[in-house]
């Protein structure tokens, strides 16, 4: 145990021994400035500098247009354009479906399947609106069984949780 203590003591002495860093003029040997340092101060200063440099770089990349040059990031203009194009394509698809329904109705009138008196553009467009499909959302037998099992487990765990909170 004394060996460990001696090793720690030596390390402590090395880290906290004062040293002087002197900057001299080569020609006149005039002292320009000097610092009293120890290894711990140098380590702390270097670590702090590295952390500040990393933080500064991260903020520059995150909050400036430089992030667009990193793979995986896209420009905000590109995202905005993609959103606009998606909305336009949806509205064009809807308009195309309405026009197709209108043209089919006109074909029915021209072929004689539908009388002209019953032909009305508004009724055709209203009938072409696709009604949402009916989906069966009732629970299956397995789901009901699972719900009952979870409810039983919650009832069994509820008194234990109350006891733990009261302690």
């Amino acid at each position: 145990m004394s060996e460990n203590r001696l090793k720690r003591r030596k390390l402590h002495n090395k880290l906290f021994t004062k040293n002087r860093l002197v900057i001299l003029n080569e020609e006149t040997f005039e002292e320009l400035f000097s610092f009293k340092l120890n290894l711990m101060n140098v380590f702390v200063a270097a670590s702090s500098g590295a952390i500040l440099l990393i933080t500064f770089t991260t903020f520059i990349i995150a909050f400036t247009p430089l992030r667009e040059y990193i793979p995986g990031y896209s420009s905000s203009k590109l995202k905005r354009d993609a959103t606009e194009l998606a909305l336009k394509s949806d509205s064009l698809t809807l308009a195309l479906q309405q026009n197709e329904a209108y043209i089919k109705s006109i074909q029915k009138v021209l072929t004689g399947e539908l009388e002209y008196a019953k032909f009305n553009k508004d009724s055709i467009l209203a009938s072409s609106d696709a009604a949402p499909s009916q989906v069966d959302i009732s629970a299956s037998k397995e789901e009901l069984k699972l719900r009952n099992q979870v409810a039983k487990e919650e009832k069994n765990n509820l008194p234990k949780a109350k006891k733990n909170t009261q302690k």
Side-chain angles (χ1 to χ4, degrees):
M1 186 156 144
S2 62
E3 287 180 26
N4 287 339
R5 183 177 280 170
L6 285 174
K7 287 181 182 179
R8 275 192 242 136
R9 193 73 179 151
K10 285 182 182 180
L11 179 62
H12 183 270
N13 286 339
K14 285 182 182 178
L15 287 175
F16 292 102
T17 300
K18 294 280 184 181
N19 297 309
R20 181 178 295 255
L21 174 67
V22 179
I23 306 294
L24 298 174
N25 186 346
E26 180 81 19
E27 296 173 2
T28 62
F29 294 108
E30 178 185 359
E31 182 178 319
L32 297 176
F33 58 89
S34 66
F35 291 114
K36 283 187 178 179
L37 300 172
N38 58 31
L39 286 177
M40 184 58 85
N41 289 347
V42 172
F43 176 72
V44 169
S47 299
S48 299
I51 290 171
L52 286 174
L53 183 66
I54 291 169
T55 304
F56 183 69
T57 305
T58 302
F59 277 110
I60 285 176
I61 291 173
F63 298 112
T64 62
L66 285 176
R67 71 174 169 261
E68 294 173 10
Y69 294 107
I70 298 173
Y73 284 101
S74 59
S75 68
S76 57
K77 184 181 182 302
L78 182 65
K79 288 181 183 178
R80 193 177 331 108
D81 291 345
T83 305
E84 283 181 29
L85 289 175
L87 292 173
K88 283 182 183 178
S89 68
D90 289 343
S91 62
L92 288 175
T93 304
L94 180 63
L96 182 66
Q97 289 173 349
Q98 290 176 345
N99 284 339
E100 286 176 357
Y102 182 69
I103 289 172
K104 285 181 183 178
S105 297
I106 289 176
Q107 285 177 345
K108 285 182 183 178
V109 169
L110 293 175
T111 58
E113 295 176 19
L114 185 67
E115 293 180 21
Y116 179 73
K118 295 181 181 178
F119 181 72
N120 186 357
K121 184 176 181 177
D122 293 333
S123 64
I124 294 169
L125 295 178
S127 67
S128 70
D129 289 341
S133 60
Q134 297 295 329
V135 178
D136 183 26
I137 56 172
S138 61
S140 64
K141 292 178 184 178
E142 293 84 12
E143 186 177 354
L144 292 173
K145 211 183 277 187
L146 179 64
R147 287 182 186 178
N148 290 334
Q149 181 182 358
V150 169
K152 287 178 185 177
E153 288 177 5
E154 286 179 354
K155 285 181 183 177
N156 291 339
N157 291 334
L158 185 62
K160 292 178 185 177
K162 284 185 179 179
K163 289 178 185 176
N164 290 339
T165 57
Q166 291 175 354
K167 288 184 179 178

